[in-house]
mmCIF file of all heavy atoms in Angstrom:
data_model
loop_
_atom_site.group_PDB
_atom_site.id
_atom_site.type_symbol
_atom_site.label_atom_id
_atom_site.label_comp_id
_atom_site.label_asym_id
_atom_site.label_seq_id
_atom_site.Cartn_x
_atom_site.Cartn_y
_atom_site.Cartn_z
ATOM 1 N N PHE A 52 -14.781 16.543 20.510
ATOM 2 C CA PHE A 52 -16.082 17.114 20.599
ATOM 3 C C PHE A 52 -16.863 16.807 21.914
ATOM 4 O O PHE A 52 -17.924 17.277 22.109
ATOM 5 C CB PHE A 52 -16.914 16.785 19.365
ATOM 6 C CG PHE A 52 -16.284 17.244 18.018
ATOM 7 C CD1 PHE A 52 -15.740 16.408 17.185
ATOM 8 C CD2 PHE A 52 -16.362 18.628 17.780
ATOM 9 C CE1 PHE A 52 -15.164 16.849 16.041
ATOM 10 C CE2 PHE A 52 -15.827 19.112 16.576
ATOM 11 C CZ PHE A 52 -15.205 18.264 15.709
ATOM 12 N N VAL A 84 -19.996 21.757 20.591
ATOM 13 C CA VAL A 84 -20.741 21.532 19.406
ATOM 14 C C VAL A 84 -22.226 21.876 19.752
ATOM 15 O O VAL A 84 -22.930 22.501 18.859
ATOM 16 C CB VAL A 84 -20.676 20.066 18.977
ATOM 17 C CG1 VAL A 84 -21.475 19.854 17.676
ATOM 18 C CG2 VAL A 84 -19.256 19.725 18.728
ATOM 19 N N LEU A 87 -23.259 25.565 19.110
ATOM 20 C CA LEU A 87 -23.350 26.000 17.738
ATOM 21 C C LEU A 87 -24.592 25.387 17.066
ATOM 22 O O LEU A 87 -25.224 26.062 16.280
ATOM 23 C CB LEU A 87 -22.083 25.502 16.972
ATOM 24 C CG LEU A 87 -22.007 25.992 15.491
ATOM 25 C CD1 LEU A 87 -21.918 27.542 15.503
ATOM 26 C CD2 LEU A 87 -20.731 25.385 14.844
ATOM 27 N N SER A 94 -27.520 20.579 12.253
ATOM 28 C CA SER A 94 -27.304 19.296 12.903
ATOM 29 C C SER A 94 -25.973 19.222 13.596
ATOM 30 O O SER A 94 -25.055 20.036 13.358
ATOM 31 C CB SER A 94 -27.282 18.155 11.839
ATOM 32 O OG SER A 94 -26.165 18.314 10.954
ATOM 33 N N THR A 95 -25.791 18.218 14.476
ATOM 34 C CA THR A 95 -24.530 18.074 15.207
ATOM 35 C C THR A 95 -23.461 17.815 14.240
ATOM 36 O O THR A 95 -22.297 18.324 14.370
ATOM 37 C CB THR A 95 -24.729 16.901 16.223
ATOM 38 O OG1 THR A 95 -25.746 17.184 17.123
ATOM 39 C CG2 THR A 95 -23.401 16.670 17.009
ATOM 40 N N GLN A 96 -23.725 16.983 13.223
ATOM 41 C CA GLN A 96 -22.633 16.710 12.208
ATOM 42 C C GLN A 96 -22.207 17.915 11.482
ATOM 43 O O GLN A 96 -20.995 18.084 11.260
ATOM 44 C CB GLN A 96 -23.183 15.570 11.263
ATOM 45 C CG GLN A 96 -23.195 14.188 11.737
ATOM 46 C CD GLN A 96 -23.569 13.192 10.653
ATOM 47 O OE1 GLN A 96 -24.544 13.376 9.989
ATOM 48 N NE2 GLN A 96 -22.816 12.164 10.476
ATOM 49 N N MET A 97 -23.104 18.768 11.107
ATOM 50 C CA MET A 97 -22.756 19.969 10.346
ATOM 51 C C MET A 97 -22.022 20.942 11.221
ATOM 52 O O MET A 97 -21.024 21.554 10.820
ATOM 53 C CB MET A 97 -24.098 20.661 9.856
ATOM 54 C CG MET A 97 -24.762 19.986 8.720
ATOM 55 S SD MET A 97 -23.674 19.879 7.237
ATOM 56 C CE MET A 97 -23.607 21.699 6.814
ATOM 57 N N ALA A 98 -22.450 21.021 12.508
ATOM 58 C CA ALA A 98 -21.774 21.942 13.392
ATOM 59 C C ALA A 98 -20.317 21.496 13.725
ATOM 60 O O ALA A 98 -19.367 22.247 13.674
ATOM 61 C CB ALA A 98 -22.517 22.004 14.743
ATOM 62 N N ALA A 99 -20.193 20.149 13.885
ATOM 63 C CA ALA A 99 -18.774 19.614 14.134
ATOM 64 C C ALA A 99 -17.910 19.811 12.940
ATOM 65 O O ALA A 99 -16.738 20.133 13.064
ATOM 66 C CB ALA A 99 -18.936 18.070 14.440
ATOM 67 N N ARG A 100 -18.490 19.651 11.715
ATOM 68 C CA ARG A 100 -17.663 19.831 10.461
ATOM 69 C C ARG A 100 -17.264 21.322 10.394
ATOM 70 O O ARG A 100 -16.116 21.595 10.073
ATOM 71 C CB ARG A 100 -18.479 19.398 9.231
ATOM 72 C CG ARG A 100 -17.697 19.489 8.012
ATOM 73 C CD ARG A 100 -18.623 19.146 6.803
ATOM 74 N NE ARG A 100 -17.769 18.850 5.612
ATOM 75 C CZ ARG A 100 -17.239 19.810 4.907
ATOM 76 N NH1 ARG A 100 -17.351 21.138 5.180
ATOM 77 N NH2 ARG A 100 -16.432 19.508 3.818
ATOM 78 N N GLU A 101 -18.219 22.229 10.619
ATOM 79 C CA GLU A 101 -17.815 23.629 10.485
ATOM 80 C C GLU A 101 -16.710 24.036 11.496
ATOM 81 O O GLU A 101 -15.850 24.791 11.175
ATOM 82 C CB GLU A 101 -19.097 24.429 10.783
ATOM 83 C CG GLU A 101 -18.904 25.937 10.615
ATOM 84 C CD GLU A 101 -20.204 26.705 10.823
ATOM 85 O OE1 GLU A 101 -21.215 26.206 10.378
ATOM 86 O OE2 GLU A 101 -20.147 27.858 11.375
ATOM 87 N N LEU A 102 -16.828 23.543 12.752
ATOM 88 C CA LEU A 102 -15.862 23.913 13.728
ATOM 89 C C LEU A 102 -14.492 23.267 13.491
ATOM 90 O O LEU A 102 -13.488 24.010 13.567
ATOM 91 C CB LEU A 102 -16.379 23.293 15.146
ATOM 92 C CG LEU A 102 -17.503 24.079 15.778
ATOM 93 C CD1 LEU A 102 -18.070 23.289 16.996
ATOM 94 C CD2 LEU A 102 -17.068 25.485 16.221
ATOM 95 N N ARG A 103 -14.493 22.022 13.047
ATOM 96 C CA ARG A 103 -13.132 21.400 12.875
ATOM 97 C C ARG A 103 -12.415 22.029 11.647
ATOM 98 O O ARG A 103 -11.180 22.240 11.720
ATOM 99 C CB ARG A 103 -13.276 19.839 12.784
ATOM 100 C CG ARG A 103 -13.934 19.280 11.603
ATOM 101 C CD ARG A 103 -13.804 17.798 11.655
ATOM 102 N NE ARG A 103 -14.452 17.113 10.586
ATOM 103 C CZ ARG A 103 -15.768 16.654 10.588
ATOM 104 N NH1 ARG A 103 -16.490 16.872 11.733
ATOM 105 N NH2 ARG A 103 -16.371 16.064 9.515
ATOM 106 N N TYR A 104 -13.146 22.265 10.628
ATOM 107 C CA TYR A 104 -12.443 22.794 9.380
ATOM 108 C C TYR A 104 -11.926 24.223 9.575
ATOM 109 O O TYR A 104 -10.865 24.516 9.036
ATOM 110 C CB TYR A 104 -13.245 22.638 8.147
ATOM 111 C CG TYR A 104 -13.182 21.208 7.560
ATOM 112 C CD1 TYR A 104 -14.208 20.264 7.738
ATOM 113 C CD2 TYR A 104 -12.056 20.843 6.832
ATOM 114 C CE1 TYR A 104 -14.103 19.028 7.228
ATOM 115 C CE2 TYR A 104 -12.010 19.580 6.265
ATOM 116 C CZ TYR A 104 -12.995 18.666 6.430
ATOM 117 O OH TYR A 104 -12.913 17.327 5.941
ATOM 118 N N ALA A 105 -12.649 24.997 10.349
ATOM 119 C CA ALA A 105 -12.234 26.291 10.661
ATOM 120 C C ALA A 105 -10.956 26.243 11.489
ATOM 121 O O ALA A 105 -10.000 27.008 11.326
ATOM 122 C CB ALA A 105 -13.331 27.036 11.380
ATOM 123 N N TRP A 106 -10.949 25.330 12.408
ATOM 124 C CA TRP A 106 -9.722 25.220 13.303
ATOM 125 C C TRP A 106 -8.525 24.613 12.521
ATOM 126 O O TRP A 106 -7.441 25.104 12.644
ATOM 127 C CB TRP A 106 -10.045 24.328 14.426
ATOM 128 C CG TRP A 106 -8.839 24.057 15.444
ATOM 129 C CD1 TRP A 106 -8.217 25.047 16.066
ATOM 130 C CD2 TRP A 106 -8.317 22.845 15.805
ATOM 131 N NE1 TRP A 106 -7.177 24.419 16.884
ATOM 132 C CE2 TRP A 106 -7.202 23.133 16.633
ATOM 133 C CE3 TRP A 106 -8.622 21.483 15.434
ATOM 134 C CZ2 TRP A 106 -6.453 22.122 17.277
ATOM 135 C CZ3 TRP A 106 -7.764 20.511 16.052
ATOM 136 C CH2 TRP A 106 -6.717 20.765 16.893
ATOM 137 N N PHE A 107 -8.787 23.673 11.652
ATOM 138 C CA PHE A 107 -7.702 23.119 10.798
ATOM 139 C C PHE A 107 -7.131 24.188 9.921
ATOM 140 O O PHE A 107 -5.873 24.265 9.845
ATOM 141 C CB PHE A 107 -8.295 22.057 9.896
ATOM 142 C CG PHE A 107 -8.755 20.746 10.548
ATOM 143 C CD1 PHE A 107 -9.692 19.895 9.913
ATOM 144 C CD2 PHE A 107 -8.297 20.441 11.795
ATOM 145 C CE1 PHE A 107 -10.164 18.776 10.565
ATOM 146 C CE2 PHE A 107 -8.711 19.246 12.412
ATOM 147 C CZ PHE A 107 -9.546 18.415 11.815
ATOM 148 N N HIS A 123 -10.054 10.353 3.942
ATOM 149 C CA HIS A 123 -11.139 9.804 3.110
ATOM 150 C C HIS A 123 -10.592 8.801 2.089
ATOM 151 O O HIS A 123 -9.499 9.000 1.550
ATOM 152 C CB HIS A 123 -11.828 10.920 2.350
ATOM 153 C CG HIS A 123 -12.561 11.883 3.191
ATOM 154 N ND1 HIS A 123 -11.999 13.116 3.691
ATOM 155 C CD2 HIS A 123 -13.847 11.826 3.695
ATOM 156 C CE1 HIS A 123 -12.940 13.722 4.428
ATOM 157 N NE2 HIS A 123 -14.025 12.946 4.525
ATOM 158 N N ASN A 152 -8.518 19.803 -3.182
ATOM 159 C CA ASN A 152 -9.457 20.959 -3.246
ATOM 160 C C ASN A 152 -8.882 22.075 -2.518
ATOM 161 O O ASN A 152 -8.908 22.079 -1.231
ATOM 162 C CB ASN A 152 -10.827 20.463 -2.682
ATOM 163 C CG ASN A 152 -11.851 21.575 -2.870
ATOM 164 O OD1 ASN A 152 -11.564 22.616 -3.516
ATOM 165 N ND2 ASN A 152 -12.982 21.391 -2.274
ATOM 166 N N LEU A 155 -7.033 21.316 0.818
ATOM 167 C CA LEU A 155 -7.504 20.029 1.294
ATOM 168 C C LEU A 155 -6.833 18.851 0.441
ATOM 169 O O LEU A 155 -6.968 18.840 -0.780
ATOM 170 C CB LEU A 155 -9.007 19.909 1.334
ATOM 171 C CG LEU A 155 -9.700 20.604 2.402
ATOM 172 C CD1 LEU A 155 -11.212 20.462 2.280
ATOM 173 C CD2 LEU A 155 -9.330 20.176 3.839
ATOM 174 N N ARG A 157 -6.648 14.572 0.055
ATOM 175 C CA ARG A 157 -7.125 13.210 0.426
ATOM 176 C C ARG A 157 -6.280 12.147 -0.198
ATOM 177 O O ARG A 157 -6.531 11.598 -1.205
ATOM 178 C CB ARG A 157 -8.584 13.060 0.022
ATOM 179 C CG ARG A 157 -9.592 13.892 0.864
ATOM 180 C CD ARG A 157 -9.967 15.117 0.131
ATOM 181 N NE ARG A 157 -11.063 15.847 0.812
ATOM 182 C CZ ARG A 157 -11.867 16.739 0.245
ATOM 183 N NH1 ARG A 157 -11.778 17.015 -1.060
ATOM 184 N NH2 ARG A 157 -12.774 17.324 0.930
#
Side-chain angles (χ1 to χ4, degrees):
F52 295 109
V84 182
L87 187 62
S94 68
T95 300
Q96 281 186 312
M97 288 296 295
R100 187 183 192 282
E101 183 176 323
L102 288 168
R103 69 175 177 266
Y104 277 102
W106 180 57
F107 293 156
H123 292 96
N152 184 7
L155 284 177
R157 286 98 175 202

